[in-house]
Amino acid sequence: MFVVDSAVRRVPEPIRSLIIKHHEGLKFLIVGGTCFLITVAINYGLKLTILHEKPVTALTVATIIATIVSYILNREWSFRTRGGRERHHEALLFFLVSGLGVGVNDIPLLISRYVLELRTPAVSLLTQEISDFVSGMILGTLLAMGFRLWAFRKFVFPHAGARPRPDRTTRLTAVPDQPDDEVA
């Protein structure tokens, strides 16, 4: 991805070294941000239409769809050089961890809606929607993202360098004009 390479080249050196050192985590965050936007769009599309009375179901469906996209992006980009398992075993573990992540993602919304009763008629519709967004989309996503990053590195893509590729650190700092299709 030439755009990301180009952006990294423009970052001042102390920060660029930090970005290159933690490139895997940063890629995971970019994938997570993309999937967050997918989740928000699908969640509100469902919640405002056919799943109006079922906000947890809407969030769960949205999260599952975003998880499928996440697998593809994480396997082929974020954890591209990690592996150590056969693909079907890796995919099974990814979706198992992600399924647990869906549950982790739903916990704050379940607490907000059904323990704290931040839902109509106990609170206004605006309060309910703000509470749903903060608990389900923000807190839930942050908790699930931390859980997934740990579990993906530990169980799904356990071995760094299992799928080696050429060292990109030198190219990012030494050859700024040459385009490339990969990211640091």
Side-chain angles (χ1 to χ4, degrees):
M1 295 184 83
F2 179 69
V3 174
V4 177
D5 281 350
S6 179
V8 169
R9 284 187 199 103
R10 290 186 173 100
V11 173
E13 180 44 45
I15 297 171
R16 182 179 333 145
S17 295
L18 191 61
I19 289 171
I20 291 170
K21 181 179 177 183
H22 298 289
H23 70 280
E24 188 176 83
L26 290 172
K27 289 178 183 180
F28 180 79
L29 288 175
I30 292 169
V31 169
T34 301
C35 291
F36 175 78
L37 295 175
I38 291 168
T39 304
V40 169
I42 294 171
N43 177 54
Y44 281 99
L46 292 172
K47 188 176 171 181
L48 297 174
T49 58
I50 61 175
L51 293 176
H52 178 68
E53 297 295 321
K54 298 181 184 273
V56 175
T57 303
L59 180 60
T60 302
V61 169
T63 304
I64 290 169
I65 293 169
T67 299
I68 294 167
V69 173
S70 174
Y71 174 69
I72 295 164
L73 294 176
N74 276 308
R75 177 155 199 322
E76 299 303 323
W77 191 52
S78 301
F79 300 111
R80 180 179 182 155
T81 61
R82 286 182 162 270
R85 302 189 185 285
E86 293 182 30
R87 185 172 274 204
H88 69 279
H89 188 220
E90 179 183 90
L92 178 67
L93 286 172
F94 184 94
F95 287 107
L96 178 65
V97 166
S98 293
L100 293 171
V102 170
V104 169
N105 197 94
D106 287 348
I107 290 169
L109 180 58
L110 286 166
I111 291 170
S112 171
R113 277 282 180 128
Y114 304 110
V115 175
L116 301 176
E117 296 198 24
L118 295 173
R119 58 185 172 175
T120 58
V123 298
S124 71
L125 182 60
L126 179 62
T127 301
Q128 172 186 287
E129 293 307 313
I130 291 171
S131 173
D132 284 359
F133 185 78
V134 170
S135 62
M137 298 307 302
I138 304 296
L139 293 175
T141 299
L142 289 174
L143 285 173
M145 190 181 321
F147 168 74
R148 285 183 182 118
L149 179 60
W150 169 79
F152 288 166
R153 284 182 172 165
K154 179 94 173 152
F155 302 110
V156 181
F157 307 108
H159 306 294
R163 294 182 283 166
R165 65 172 190 211
D167 181 22
R168 300 263 303 126
T169 309
T170 307
R171 295 190 71 201
L172 278 175
T173 56
V175 187
D177 296 328
Q178 189 172 4
D180 197 333
D181 62 339
E182 296 180 36
V183 179

